[in-house]
Amino acid sequence: MPTLIPSMASLSPAPVSGYRGRLAPSPTGYLHVGHARTFWTASQRARDAAGTLVMRMEDLDPDRSRSAYAEAAIEDLRWLGIRWQEGPDKGGPFAPYLQSKRRAVYLAAWRKLLRRGFLYPCRCSRKDLETALGAPHESSSPEAHGQQTNGKLEPLDDEPIYPGTCRHFLGSIPLLPGPHASDLEMPEGINWRFRVRDGEVVQFEDRNLGTQRFVAGEDFGDFVVWRRDGVPSYQLACVADDAAMGITEVVRGADLLKSTARQILLNRALGFDNPAWFHCRLVVDHNGRRLAKRHDSLSLRALRQRGLTPMNILSAELPLEA
Ligand SMILES: [Zn+2]
């Protein structure tokens, strides 16, 4: 075995493998214990693989994202001891690392999906959907899902199954003209949905949770990829960025398993490779409810003020008193 130069051991490891993981906080509140553990897992997996960790700020929603929360997330993650090699604070070969600055990437993906015949415009209002689905459903019982803020689902993992009212528009979208584009070149003003094949089984191997299986049309329906208010959906932005940034493994919370099924369909439609998936079990409170951003007393900020250390926060024995 070759002799190591002694000083080598103290150098911080430079990425040597092709592994690329990411941290993708959304700055709509302070990070809490659940985020801390998921992000810690992501950082450990990148480190163990001698790979690169990318920080991507998912600040797409202009109504709910706050730059103060973005700064807080970066500070909290550093305090936890997590380090990344690329990000909004560091730059890197795939900059910008703020989703709010990456609109062109999402527009290109939207156009590709539209041209390939996967999308249709949906004119249904929220009220139309409620009527079609029959009350009550998600929007009238936020506690059942525990993730609704100001009437908006967060993230869109549990959007109600779309009844298909506007599916007939799928065949009637005019072929896009070339350089002299019509209004269809821009998605604004209407919701655009991705048509799923009802009954199609989407199965994948999760590196933490094993085989996962979902059925299109039962577990999720035609989902929104571009919102009428001009914002690309989480699903679209996520796959477009993971592909553009060369992400090889996605580590995130198990609340996003159903999103993964949708994203696998998007990757196929867009011709992107799937990354590997590693979903972390969710941290729950005493009542068995998953932690949400409304658990302010469990934010990393609050716990730090109470004198807890990163080790306390990452250990399993942490008392979760909301
Ligand atoms: Zn519709």
Side-chain angles (χ1 to χ4, degrees):
M1 206 178 138
T3 314
L4 280 175
I5 302 164
S7 64
M8 290 275 284
S10 61
L11 291 176
S12 72
V16 293
S17 78
Y19 179 103
R20 288 177 61 80
R22 87 287 205 281
L23 311 166
S26 53
T28 56
Y30 291 119
L31 299 185
H32 59 60
V33 175
H35 299 118
R37 293 185 181 176
T38 299
F39 289 138
W40 181 257
T41 302
S43 76
Q44 291 304 293
R45 289 188 64 78
R47 204 192 60 174
D48 292 348
T52 302
L53 190 59
V54 176
M55 149 81 73
R56 180 173 78 222
M57 194 58 70
E58 301 210 325
D59 59 347
L60 267 183
D61 191 327
D63 297 334
R64 298 173 50 239
S65 299
R66 299 278 179 274
S67 59
Y69 288 136
E71 285 158 24
I74 286 176
E75 191 195 300
D76 287 348
L77 292 174
R78 281 202 189 118
W79 174 75
L80 275 174
I82 294 175
R83 299 290 178 267
W84 49 94
Q85 288 75 46
E86 299 170 25
D89 56 329
K90 301 207 142 199
F94 301 97
Y97 292 90
L98 299 172
Q99 285 196 324
S100 57
K101 308 268 189 232
R102 298 178 60 78
R103 193 176 176 80
V105 175
Y106 313 137
L107 266 177
W110 173 80
R111 286 199 184 102
K112 203 173 185 184
L113 290 173
L114 183 66
R115 292 202 168 103
R116 292 181 176 186
F118 290 102
L119 304 185
Y120 61 88
C122 170
R123 298 178 193 280
C124 302
S125 65
R126 178 169 287 270
K127 202 173 169 219
D128 292 338
L129 292 179
E130 281 170 19
T131 309
L133 293 162
H137 79 296
E138 278 89 332
S139 70
S140 57
S141 57
E143 278 309 304
H145 292 263
Q147 57 182 27
Q148 204 162 28
T149 320
N150 303 326
K152 288 180 182 171
L153 288 170
E154 176 221 346
L156 284 173
D157 204 52
D158 268 334
E159 67 182 80
I161 293 181
Y162 181 66
T165 322
C166 299
R167 265 187 177 181
H168 60 278
F169 288 126
L170 189 68
S172 65
I173 296 174
L175 282 177
L176 285 175
H180 303 289
S182 73
D183 52 354
L184 268 183
E185 279 294 282
M186 296 299 279
E188 271 76 3
I190 202 160
N191 285 320
W192 289 87
R193 288 184 186 274
F194 181 90
R195 165 72 191 260
V196 303
R197 295 184 205 154
D198 290 338
E200 180 178 2
V201 174
V202 182
Q203 192 167 310
F204 60 95
E205 283 304 307
D206 187 87
R207 286 182 170 175
N208 190 36
L209 302 176
T211 305
Q212 303 295 311
R213 186 178 185 277
F214 296 95
V215 179
E218 292 176 20
D219 294 311
F220 57 88
D222 294 353
F223 53 93
V224 173
V225 296
W226 205 284
R227 294 174 6 191
R228 76 178 84 231
D229 61 359
V231 179
S233 76
Y234 165 73
Q235 312 295 354
L236 183 72
C238 191
V239 299
D241 280 343
D242 285 339
M245 294 178 174
I247 300 302
T248 61
E249 183 180 80
V250 169
V251 178
R252 59 185 175 195
D255 53 327
L256 291 168
L257 280 167
K258 227 187 265 184
S259 283
T260 297
R262 297 185 187 104
Q263 291 177 12
I264 286 170
L265 296 181
L266 281 179
N267 279 332
R268 184 178 67 193
L270 288 162
F272 297 155
D273 291 335
N274 282 309
W277 312 100
F278 187 107
H279 290 81
C280 301
R281 287 176 205 285
L282 299 179
V283 178
V284 295
D285 68 12
H286 281 318
N287 301 315
R289 291 177 309 182
R290 57 174 282 220
L291 297 189
K293 282 172 179 164
R294 62 191 157 78
H295 286 79
D296 288 338
S297 61
L298 292 176
S299 73
L300 296 184
R301 311 241 120 181
L303 296 172
R304 189 170 153 188
Q305 272 171 6
R306 278 160 55 184
L308 274 74
T309 65
M311 196 174 285
N312 294 144
I313 286 171
L314 296 168
S315 75
E317 303 83 40
L318 179 70
L320 294 178
E321 281 152 23

